[in-house]
Amino acid sequence: MEEPQTQTSSPHVLLFPAPVQGHINVTLKLAELLSLSSIRVTFVTTEHSHRKLTLHSDVLRRFSRFPAFQFRTISDGLPVSHPRTFSHHLPEIINSFISFTKPLFRDLLISGHFGSDLTCLILDGFFSFLVDIGDDSFKVPIFCFRTFGACSSWAILSVPNLIKQGQLPIKGEEEMDRILDNVPGMENLLRCRDLPGFCRAADPNNDPILQFIVSMFIRSTKFDALIINTFEDLEGPILSNIRTLCPKIYSIGPLHALLNTKLSHKTESLNNLWEVDRSCLAWLDNQWPGSVIYVSFGSITVMGNRELMEFWHGLVNSGRNFLWAIRPELVKGKNGEIEIPAELEEGTKQRGCLVGWAPQEKVLSHEAVGAFLTHSGWNSTLESIVAGKPMICWSYAFDQQVNSRFLSNVWKLGLDMKDLCDRETVAKMVNDVMVNRKEEFMRSAAEMASLASRSVNPGGSSYLNFDCLIEDIRILSQQKTPNNN
């Protein structure tokens, strides 16, 4: 690997996202925004993620217009054959990062491999353990980038108090609808079932996944600042609570919309780890405005064949046109072609379009799309908000359960299908959002889209907060001396 060129004319920032589609995608958008602001960026990914990213996206060409930008790779310590799916192999991935990648990353930082003039690090909050707080061998400010929203972050930060107060563990299915009344700012809102899935652990004090995730969220508030992909009009009250733990917060989202503003035109940043099938755009061009429900469950959701069939029957039975992105490995135990039952084949031919991975921002902004059946991942949530499209939420893991509750009960942007998966419910909710309650949800979606647009345009909260982030990075750079590491 070649040594980076030393340039002292501008600040130098290193970004390191967690090795998963959603985190890499949004961190690359942040990297592009920093680059547009004349910040030198070193973007570190695992070797595995970099191979997939350069195979299925245009990042090398797109970032080549920034001469000071550089991609760097690091090993995750896992064998090449390892599947690296977060849904099933998270403990193995975490353990390998702790035992192998963390000491390697530290050695590379100390040796100046990424450059001896780093102004600051921007680490994925989920992997904030990569650098020890107070490590005197590497005195560079560290910002944590939270790719989750404020509402889910605050819920997770509140888990230790919920355990201490006896609100957790959840004692069986009969308690799933019990209201959690001790989360500041979320009183009379969150039920047990609205907490992240890992909070359903029988022994939360000794569950390794729960303890790791909660500790990473708490740890991310201990560094120099937090960067969050959200905007004040959406999550201002919750951000105020997080500021009691970390006063320095830059809320700069939706990042994809801010990037379009800074570029002065809409762009399609293809930061994908799978091949994108653009044929669906031509199919959408032939549909009536607002007639299609777009279906995608994101990059880590895994469902069983029964769940797949219930969704499929529900979509066909709804009588609405649908575009469904069925990514490789969405269905447990299957990889590749999925057999379509005979009874669904005709309905799909008449009203459906199936692709492996869709250009989601383009799809959501298409006038033919009337609603989004989603897993409620934060990137997808913000993309749908910016596009002004109501949502039906079937949350899967991590932040998604909290997001779906806020979407349905606070922001009034759609319906929450959490913990349900039957064809009757699917068909009913599709028709409620697309037909029966269409005006209600479209009105709420349009209002929130307007607030999102305002936040990323000149004078808006996210626009100003991003400018503040750039200015603070420049000040840090000016404060450094030639011998600082």
Side-chain angles (χ1 to χ4, degrees):
M1 188 182 302
E2 71 276 12
E3 287 295 319
Q5 295 180 349
T6 300
Q7 298 182 25
T8 58
S9 58
S10 62
H12 182 191
V13 175
L14 183 148
L15 282 76
F16 194 168
V20 65
Q21 167 73 52
H23 292 241
I24 292 172
N25 175 30
V26 71
T27 308
L28 277 168
K29 288 179 168 60
L30 176 57
E32 194 164 355
L33 281 161
L34 292 172
S35 298
L36 286 166
S37 301
S38 299
I39 304 292
R40 288 180 292 136
V41 174
T42 295
F43 193 91
V44 181
T45 56
T46 63
E47 294 164 352
H48 175 81
S49 296
H50 188 73
R51 279 194 300 270
K52 294 189 70 175
L53 184 65
T54 53
L55 179 63
H56 297 302
S57 78
D58 63 347
V59 291
L60 295 181
R61 178 193 60 78
R62 198 166 74 249
F63 282 93
S64 66
R65 73 186 193 276
F66 304 116
F69 182 94
Q70 54 190 356
F71 282 106
R72 290 290 180 265
T73 61
I74 192 168
S75 173
D76 58 15
L78 296 166
V80 174
S81 60
H82 193 283
R84 294 171 171 82
T85 52
F86 265 50
S87 52
H88 289 128
H89 300 279
L90 184 58
E92 298 167 39
I93 295 170
I94 290 171
N95 288 336
S96 186
F97 262 78
I98 291 173
S99 62
F100 185 89
T101 308
K102 178 179 178 178
L104 175 59
F105 184 56
R106 182 178 181 273
D107 289 345
L108 292 173
L109 287 173
I110 294 171
S111 70
H113 176 81
F114 300 118
S116 59
D117 60 344
L118 287 175
T119 304
C120 67
L121 304 185
I122 299 180
L123 294 181
D124 194 303
F126 191 72
F127 274 11
S128 58
F129 64 86
L130 284 170
V131 175
D132 290 328
I133 298 173
D135 186 345
D136 289 336
S137 61
F138 184 72
K139 296 181 181 178
V140 170
I142 299 171
F143 297 176
C144 275
F145 180 32
R146 286 250 63 102
T147 60
F148 290 179
C151 59
S152 59
S153 296
W154 182 239
I156 294 170
L157 286 166
S158 302
V159 166
N161 283 335
L162 291 175
I163 296 173
K164 185 177 180 180
Q165 296 160 3
Q167 299 285 313
L168 294 175
I170 302 166
K171 301 177 180 68
E173 180 62 32
E174 64 274 10
E175 281 210 321
M176 293 300 284
D177 288 320
R178 171 167 55 85
I179 295 290
L180 300 162
D181 55 7
N182 293 317
V183 180
M186 299 183 182
E187 295 87 355
N188 301 315
L189 173 66
L190 288 186
R191 306 161 297 178
C192 290
R193 74 171 68 253
D194 300 316
L195 290 174
F198 54 80
C199 292
R200 301 182 184 187
D203 184 5
N205 281 312
N206 295 296
D207 185 85
I209 293 297
L210 182 149
Q211 288 298 321
F212 171 81
I213 293 175
V214 171
S215 69
M216 287 305 99
F217 273 76
I218 294 173
R219 183 184 178 86
S220 67
T221 65
K222 307 299 184 185
F223 290 101
D224 295 272
L226 268 176
I227 302 169
I228 304 183
N229 184 23
T230 190
F231 58 104
E232 296 290 334
D233 281 327
L234 183 68
E235 296 191 286
I238 304 301
L239 285 165
S240 296
N241 281 290
I242 299 177
R243 286 188 175 101
T244 64
L245 301 177
C246 180
K248 193 68 170 178
I249 293 179
Y250 305 92
S251 54
I252 59 172
L255 273 168
H256 73 288
L258 180 62
L259 179 58
N260 284 333
T261 297
K262 294 288 186 176
L263 289 169
S264 302
H265 64 276
K266 285 193 175 184
T267 186
E268 185 180 17
S269 299
L270 297 177
N271 305 322
N272 298 291
L273 303 184
W274 292 281
E275 183 179 358
V276 175
D277 187 341
R278 302 179 64 85
S279 64
C280 58
L281 297 176
W283 182 83
L284 286 172
D285 289 341
N286 291 317
Q287 311 305 316
W288 290 102
S291 66
V292 175
I293 181 155
Y294 169 55
V295 186
S296 175
F297 297 111
S299 62
I300 65 169
T301 301
V302 176
M303 63 176 63
N305 193 66
R306 186 200 70 81
E307 294 165 316
L308 178 79
M309 290 300 107
E310 290 301 309
F311 274 114
W312 212 321
H313 276 284
L315 290 168
V316 170
N317 294 346
S318 73
R320 306 298 144 203
N321 294 348
F322 60 94
L323 166 60
W324 192 353
I326 304 180
R327 79 168 202 282
E329 301 172 351
L330 170 66
V331 184
K332 195 180 304 179
K334 293 180 182 285
N335 188 4
E337 292 295 322
I338 297 172
E339 293 184 12
I340 305 176
E343 64 269 25
L344 296 179
E345 198 165 357
E346 187 58 34
T348 303
K349 284 181 179 178
Q350 290 178 357
R351 292 189 296 277
C353 176
L354 308 180
V355 295
W357 193 249
Q360 185 160 288
E361 289 179 41
K362 285 279 191 183
V363 167
L364 285 171
S365 64
H366 199 288
E367 66 173 2
V369 173
F372 184 15
L373 173 50
T374 171
H375 63 305
S376 300
W378 193 241
N379 287 344
S380 293
T381 297
L382 289 179
E383 288 164 8
S384 198
I385 285 174
V386 169
K389 302 298 165 70
M391 286 164 267
I392 302 170
C393 307
W394 189 70
S395 49
Y396 176 70
F398 299 112
D399 60 326
Q400 299 161 17
Q401 283 90 349
V402 183
N403 296 342
S404 62
R405 183 65 168 174
F406 269 74
L407 276 161
S408 62
N409 285 54
V410 178
W411 304 323
K412 309 296 184 183
L413 296 175
L415 300 173
D416 190 358
M417 198 190 296
K418 183 184 292 108
D419 293 334
L420 297 174
C421 187
D422 61 84
R423 60 193 69 181
E424 291 80 12
T425 300
V426 173
K428 181 180 185 307
M429 286 195 174
V430 167
N431 277 300
D432 279 347
V433 170
M434 298 282 288
V435 182
N436 303 326
R437 300 173 63 183
K438 178 179 179 179
E439 290 186 10
E440 167 193 347
F441 289 125
M442 286 300 296
R443 183 167 57 250
S444 295
E447 290 172 358
M448 191 60 77
S450 177
L451 292 174
S453 177
R454 186 175 71 181
S455 75
V456 299
N457 276 289
S461 60
S462 294
Y463 192 99
L464 295 175
N465 288 341
F466 180 76
D467 285 350
C468 182
L469 171 63
I470 296 300
E471 181 61 23
D472 288 349
I473 291 174
R474 294 192 188 285
I475 291 172
L476 287 174
S477 179
Q478 292 165 6
Q479 290 172 347
K480 289 177 67 65
T481 63
N483 293 324
N484 278 134
N485 285 327

